[in-house]
């Protein structure tokens, strides 16, 4: 009984051990996170775990007793059968194949066949199946991505480099290096990133290697081309961790900006040239811009300086604000017709300043056209030619004087002799006739003969240069003599003459008689301009180089339309004048290296200004 009890105890112990191992097997079979099924030696399914049931999407009883070949892709049956056969012979086999799910859709799996031993005899096969669908898809996506990046790297026009930061070693260089830098990628692989960097830019690249930011760093530096020239690159570099040891890899994408930098330099040069041109224009010309309707949108400082208007007064206005009235309306109609058609207009325009002074401008109007060929703004470039126009007027006057001189030479010669005879016989008649009526007629004849003789004398002044003797003269004494000579006429016309000296005067070198002639002519003009009486003030100024004489009357003044013509031959406002007096005065002053000007406004009197060089300055000239 004791022996029998021991046998029972031992049997229970083995049973418990066996049961425990069975539970381990069951736990593995049930909870294995993959497909696990058992097959008999003929290949029929004897069992299937829970995961396999879910994967096949069929009931367990529909799988049990079915041959495994029903779940294998037709083209894979031979390979799987060989693997199964080897397993039944005691080998663990491993292969990747394709299964079919319940709906007949293929999916990739990894298959491991393990022989089942019972009491050292193979009784069946365990098959472990792992679904490779996601893994294959990931691998495919990875390969596609790698292929895309490879295509990008190999066909991009930009340089792509991988640089090991710790070792300053180029591990990859894209094929574009050949096109941009002239060397094949192998030339750069395994070398330092500093291989072909311009010496002046090495510090930039060194700083790039030292930065650890994950954000792209953008720098510009130069690299040497195979032909010896320097290529400017814009680099975007990003540091990424790489490898199991955590080394840093610098991903560098470089873009050739050599042409861009050259274009930038050309643009800068062009902008500088435009700036210089604008400066030159602003210094020498009046520049304004209008919109398509002719309204001023911009003016430069020179424009404001010459016209007397501020920018605020001009903006939004039309250029007709400067119209002097010299040109007829048809002149501006033709101008507008030209520029509205898109053509450049050039011409000379008489304008008027804000304070009423005339000035001339040589004008070029350039239309700016839009894509449709229609002007959208106009640029006016004007050059002040007032001095030139005055010189041209002076030249025309000189031409007139030349003609007058030629005429005077002949007329004076032909008239003087008979004029002398006529005056002599008239004086004889005066002595013989006692009748008062005859005497009155004779006096008129003599007066007219004297006037003719005066005109002839003035003609003689214009006919040819006269021999003039210049001597040092006290201008103050000269003016006193002139006032004495003209005092009687002034008293008869109720005109008061005042003289004032502003500064101590220096002596001048002049022809005393000619300067007297000038002063007498001007003062007589002032007296005759004030038939009802008035005042004439003679002011004397002295500077280091000049003496200035101002003769001002408080008469009615000269209308503006007459003022510009004073001094022209044969132009006069007097009933008995010949228009030669002021012209002769102006010429005498000019021959003395001085200046002569008249300033007058209607209702405000007239001012005549004469400047003459002092004795020292006259000798220097």
């Amino acid at each position: 009984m004791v022996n029998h009890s021991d046998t029972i105890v031992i049997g229970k112990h083995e049973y418990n051990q066996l049961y425990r191992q069975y539970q381990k097997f069951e736990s593995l079979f049930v909870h294995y996170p993959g497909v696990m099924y058992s097959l008999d030696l003929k290949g029929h399914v004897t069992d299937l775990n829970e995961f396999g049931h879910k994967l096949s999407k069929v009931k367990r009883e529909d799988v049990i007793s079915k041959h495994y070949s029903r779940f294998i892709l037709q083209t894979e049956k031979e390979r799987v059968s060989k693997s199964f056969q080897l397993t039944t012979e005691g080998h663990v086999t491993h292969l990747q194949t394709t299964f079919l799910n319940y709906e007949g859709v293929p999916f990739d799996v990894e298959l491991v066949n393990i022989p089942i031993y019972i009491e050292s005899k193979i009784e069946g096969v365990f098959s472990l199946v792992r679904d490779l669908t996601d893994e294959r898809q990931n691998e495919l996506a990875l390969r596609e991505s790698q292929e895309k990046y490879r295509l990008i790297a190999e066909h991009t026009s930009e340089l792509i480099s991988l640089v090991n930061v710790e070792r300053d070693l180029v591990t990859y260089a894209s094929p574009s290096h050949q096109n941009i830098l002239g060397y094949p990628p192998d030339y750069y692989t395994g070398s330092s990133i500093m291989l072909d960097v311009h010496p002046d830019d090495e510090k930039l690249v060194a700083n790039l290697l030292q930065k650890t930011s994950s954000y792209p760093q953008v720098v510009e530096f130069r690299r040497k081309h195979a032909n010896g020239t320097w290529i400017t690159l814009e680099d975007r570099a990003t540091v990424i961790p790489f490898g199991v040891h955590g080394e840093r890899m610098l991903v560098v994408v470089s873009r050739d900006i050599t042409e861009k930098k050259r274009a930038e330099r050309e643009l800068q040069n062009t902008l500088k040239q435009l700036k210089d041109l604008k400066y030159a224009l602003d210094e020498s010309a009046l520049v304004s811009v209008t919109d398509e309707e002719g309204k001023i949108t911009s003016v430069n400082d020179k424009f404001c300086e010459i016209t007397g208007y501020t920018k605020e007064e001009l903006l939004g206005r039309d250029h007709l604000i400067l119209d002097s009235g010299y040109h007829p309306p048809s002149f501006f109609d033709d101008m507008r017709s030209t520029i509205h058609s898109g053509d450049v207009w050039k011409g000379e325009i008489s304008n008027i300043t804000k304070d009423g002074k005339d000035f001339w401008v040589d004008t070029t109007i350039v239309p700016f056209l839009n894509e449709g060929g229609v002007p959208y703004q106009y640029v006016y470039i004007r050059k002040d030619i007032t001095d030139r126009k005055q010189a041209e007027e002076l030249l025309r006057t000189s031409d007139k004087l030349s003609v007058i001189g030629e005429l005077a030479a002949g007329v004076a010669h032909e008239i003087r002799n008979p004029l002398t005879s006529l005056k002599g016989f008239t004086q004889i008649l005066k002595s013989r006739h006692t009748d008062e009526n005859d005497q009155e007629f004779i006096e008129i004849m003599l007066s007219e003969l004297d006037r003719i003789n005066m005109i002839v004398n003035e003609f003689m002044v214009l006919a040819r240069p006269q021999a003039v003797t210049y001597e040092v003269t006290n201008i103050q004494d000269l003016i006193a003599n002139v006032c004495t000579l003209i005092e009687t006429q002034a008293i008869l016309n109720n005109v008061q003459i005042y003289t004032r000296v502003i500064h101590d005067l220096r002596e001048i070198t002049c022809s005393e008689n000619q300067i007297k002639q000038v002063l007498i002519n001007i003062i007589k003009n002032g007296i005759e301009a004030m038939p009802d009486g008035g005042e004439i003030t003679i002011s004397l100024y002295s500077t280091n180089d000049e003496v200035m004489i101002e003769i001002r009357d408080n008469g009615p003044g000269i209308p503006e339309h007459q003022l510009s013509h004073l001094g022209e031959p044969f132009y006069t406002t007097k009933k008995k004048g010949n228009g030669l007096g002021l012209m002769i005065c102006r010429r005498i002053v000019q021959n003395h290296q001085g200046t002569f000007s008249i300033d007058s406004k209607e209702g405000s009197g007239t001012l005549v200004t004469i400047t003459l060089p002092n004795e020292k300055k006259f000798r220097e000239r």
Side-chain angles (χ1 to χ4, degrees):
M1 286 291 293
V2 173
N3 290 335
H4 180 68
S5 297
D6 290 339
T7 301
I8 293 175
V9 171
I10 292 171
K12 286 184 178 181
H13 177 71
E14 291 177 351
Y15 173 79
N16 287 332
Q17 288 292 101
L18 181 61
Y19 183 71
R20 287 173 62 87
Q21 291 181 6
Y22 172 77
Q23 287 182 324
K24 290 180 181 179
F25 161 74
E26 186 179 33
S27 296
L28 175 62
F29 190 81
V30 172
H31 299 294
Y32 176 69
V35 179
M36 181 183 291
Y37 58 89
S38 60
L39 305 171
D40 60 20
L41 294 178
K42 292 183 179 181
H44 295 94
V45 178
T46 58
D47 203 355
L48 176 68
N49 70 345
E50 185 68 20
F51 190 85
H53 165 63
K54 292 179 179 179
L55 181 64
S56 63
K57 298 180 181 179
V58 295
K59 296 180 179 180
R60 185 171 179 275
E61 52 268 24
D62 292 334
V63 177
I64 300 301
S65 301
K66 301 295 190 299
H67 196 274
Y68 69 82
S69 60
R70 294 186 57 181
F71 310 106
I72 304 297
L73 191 67
Q74 183 67 32
T75 56
E76 291 291 307
K77 286 183 178 181
E78 185 177 352
R79 291 180 65 240
V80 176
S81 295
K82 288 182 179 180
S83 175
F84 179 79
Q85 185 63 39
L86 287 173
T87 304
T88 59
E89 296 173 0
H91 300 284
V92 176
T93 59
H94 181 284
L95 77 159
Q96 292 183 358
T97 185
T98 305
F99 274 20
L100 296 172
N101 64 14
Y102 179 72
E103 297 172 348
V105 178
F107 60 96
D108 294 330
V109 297
E110 180 184 57
L111 179 62
V112 179
N113 289 329
I114 303 172
I116 300 174
Y117 287 92
I118 299 177
E119 295 182 359
S120 301
K121 183 180 178 181
I122 298 174
E123 296 290 343
V125 174
F126 275 128
S127 290
L128 306 180
V129 181
R130 185 166 65 90
D131 187 0
L132 299 179
T133 302
D134 292 341
E135 185 176 317
R136 289 290 174 84
Q137 289 177 346
N138 292 336
E139 288 178 356
L140 180 61
L142 178 60
R143 283 196 298 270
E144 289 178 350
S145 297
Q146 290 174 338
E147 182 65 14
K148 289 177 182 177
Y149 289 128
R150 184 188 66 80
L151 291 173
I152 291 173
E154 291 183 358
H155 296 90
T156 183
S157 60
E158 297 178 337
L159 301 178
I160 298 177
S161 305
L162 298 179
V163 182
N164 188 300
V165 176
E166 274 68 33
R167 292 184 289 169
D168 181 19
L169 191 68
V170 177
T171 61
Y172 172 79
S174 63
S176 53
H177 282 70
Q178 177 81 57
N179 297 329
I180 295 177
L181 295 174
Y183 288 111
D186 293 345
Y187 176 77
Y188 302 97
T189 304
S191 64
S192 168
I193 193 175
M194 298 289 189
L195 175 65
D196 55 359
V197 175
H198 193 284
D200 294 344
D201 297 337
E202 288 181 354
K203 188 174 181 180
L204 283 173
V205 180
N207 290 338
L208 189 65
L209 291 173
Q210 293 173 4
K211 292 181 178 179
T212 58
S213 172
S214 59
Y215 294 100
Q217 307 295 319
V218 181
V219 294
E220 293 181 6
F221 62 87
R222 290 159 289 178
R223 296 180 67 177
K224 195 171 186 178
H225 192 276
N227 62 14
T229 61
W230 292 99
I231 305 297
T232 304
L233 300 173
E234 180 185 74
D235 284 27
R236 298 181 67 87
T238 306
V239 176
I240 60 173
F242 180 78
V244 295
H245 300 295
E247 291 182 318
R248 293 173 300 156
M249 187 67 70
L250 193 67
V251 181
V252 183
V253 180
S254 307
R255 181 164 58 96
D256 184 2
I257 59 171
T258 305
E259 286 301 313
K260 174 187 172 185
K261 300 298 286 187
R262 182 189 60 79
E264 287 178 354
R265 288 192 297 270
E266 289 182 356
L267 177 60
Q268 291 299 324
N269 291 335
T270 301
L271 291 175
K272 185 179 184 304
Q273 290 175 0
L274 289 175
K275 184 178 180 181
D276 292 342
L277 287 173
K278 182 179 182 300
Y279 175 78
L281 277 176
D282 287 342
E283 287 298 311
S284 61
L286 294 75
V287 181
S288 61
V289 181
T290 71
D291 59 19
E292 66 276 11
E293 296 179 355
K295 302 301 180 183
I296 298 173
T297 59
S298 175
V299 293
N300 68 347
D301 293 337
K302 191 78 172 179
F303 192 102
C304 297
E305 176 189 340
I306 299 298
T307 64
Y309 290 98
T310 64
K311 290 184 179 181
E312 291 73 18
E313 291 174 321
L314 292 167
L315 296 181
R317 303 287 298 276
D318 191 282
H319 279 116
L320 289 176
I321 191 176
L322 305 175
D323 184 17
S324 65
Y326 178 88
H327 304 283
S330 59
F331 175 85
F332 295 105
D333 290 340
D334 292 341
M335 180 186 72
R336 282 189 288 267
S337 176
T338 299
I339 62 177
H340 287 170
S341 65
D343 295 327
V344 175
W345 184 90
K346 294 182 180 180
E348 296 178 354
I349 303 177
S350 173
N351 286 334
I352 190 169
T353 64
K354 182 180 179 180
D355 57 4
K357 293 182 179 179
D358 290 331
F359 68 100
W360 280 86
V361 285
D362 186 0
T363 304
T364 300
I365 307 175
V366 182
F368 281 21
L369 310 180
N370 59 23
E371 294 179 355
V374 178
Y376 65 90
Q377 71 175 12
Y378 303 93
V379 177
Y380 291 66
I381 302 173
R382 298 175 173 89
K383 184 178 180 181
D384 187 357
I385 57 170
T386 305
D387 292 341
R388 193 192 83 191
K389 297 294 285 189
Q390 290 175 347
E392 290 175 354
E393 185 64 29
L394 181 61
L395 181 61
R396 283 193 292 271
T397 301
S398 297
D399 291 341
K400 292 179 182 178
L401 288 175
S402 177
V403 173
I404 292 171
E406 293 178 4
L407 176 66
V411 170
H413 178 74
E414 297 295 332
I415 292 179
R416 219 164 207 188
N417 290 334
L419 187 63
T420 302
S421 300
L422 286 172
K423 187 173 181 179
F425 287 127
T426 304
Q427 289 173 338
I428 293 173
L429 288 174
K430 180 180 179 182
S431 63
R432 291 179 180 179
H433 287 265
T434 58
D435 185 272
E436 292 184 359
N437 291 330
D438 291 342
Q439 288 291 328
E440 181 181 354
F441 293 145
I442 293 172
E443 285 295 334
I444 292 173
M445 291 171 61
L446 287 172
S447 175
E448 291 301 308
L449 287 171
D450 286 339
R451 193 162 75 86
I452 293 172
N453 188 54
M454 181 191 69
I455 294 173
V456 170
N457 287 337
E458 289 181 341
F459 272 178
M460 291 304 295
V461 171
L462 298 173
R464 63 179 61 86
Q466 304 294 312
V468 179
T469 301
Y470 293 93
E471 56 188 357
V472 178
T473 303
N474 186 305
I475 188 64
Q476 195 168 349
D477 292 342
L478 188 150
I479 289 178
N481 291 336
V482 169
C483 290
T484 300
L485 292 174
I486 210 151
E487 182 178 9
T488 301
Q489 183 178 351
I491 293 172
L492 291 174
N493 287 271
N494 194 27
V495 173
Q496 300 293 322
I497 300 177
Y498 300 98
T499 302
R500 60 176 185 166
V501 179
I502 307 303
H503 298 291
D504 293 334
L505 298 178
R506 297 189 178 189
E507 293 179 328
I508 64 172
T509 298
C510 68
S511 169
E512 186 172 337
N513 287 333
Q514 285 191 351
I515 297 301
K516 278 184 180 179
Q517 180 182 351
V518 171
L519 295 174
I520 289 172
N521 198 331
I522 295 170
I523 295 171
K524 283 180 64 178
N525 285 346
I527 292 172
E528 293 171 0
M530 299 182 291
D532 298 327
E535 295 180 355
I536 293 177
T537 303
I538 305 173
S539 302
L540 303 177
Y541 303 86
S542 180
T543 65
N544 291 333
D545 298 325
E546 296 175 330
V547 171
M548 182 182 295
I549 306 169
E550 288 185 349
I551 303 173
R552 185 188 298 272
D553 66 56
N554 59 354
I558 303 171
E560 185 176 351
H561 69 277
Q562 295 179 349
L563 187 62
S564 60
H565 296 290
L566 293 181
E568 293 182 2
F570 307 116
Y571 181 84
T572 181
T573 58
K574 300 177 183 178
K575 292 181 179 179
K576 296 183 179 182
N578 55 34
L580 297 177
L582 284 179
M583 183 180 66
I584 293 172
C585 290
R586 191 186 299 275
R587 170 164 284 195
I588 290 173
V589 173
Q590 289 174 347
N591 290 338
H592 280 74
Q593 304 175 20
T595 62
F596 183 94
S597 64
I598 301 175
D599 187 18
S600 181
K601 287 185 179 180
E602 195 169 7
S604 301
T606 300
L607 171 65
V608 178
T609 303
I610 301 169
T611 62
L612 297 169
N614 60 32
E615 187 269 337
K616 178 181 177 181
K617 193 67 177 179
F618 187 88
R619 283 190 286 106
E620 291 176 353
R621 294 181 181 178

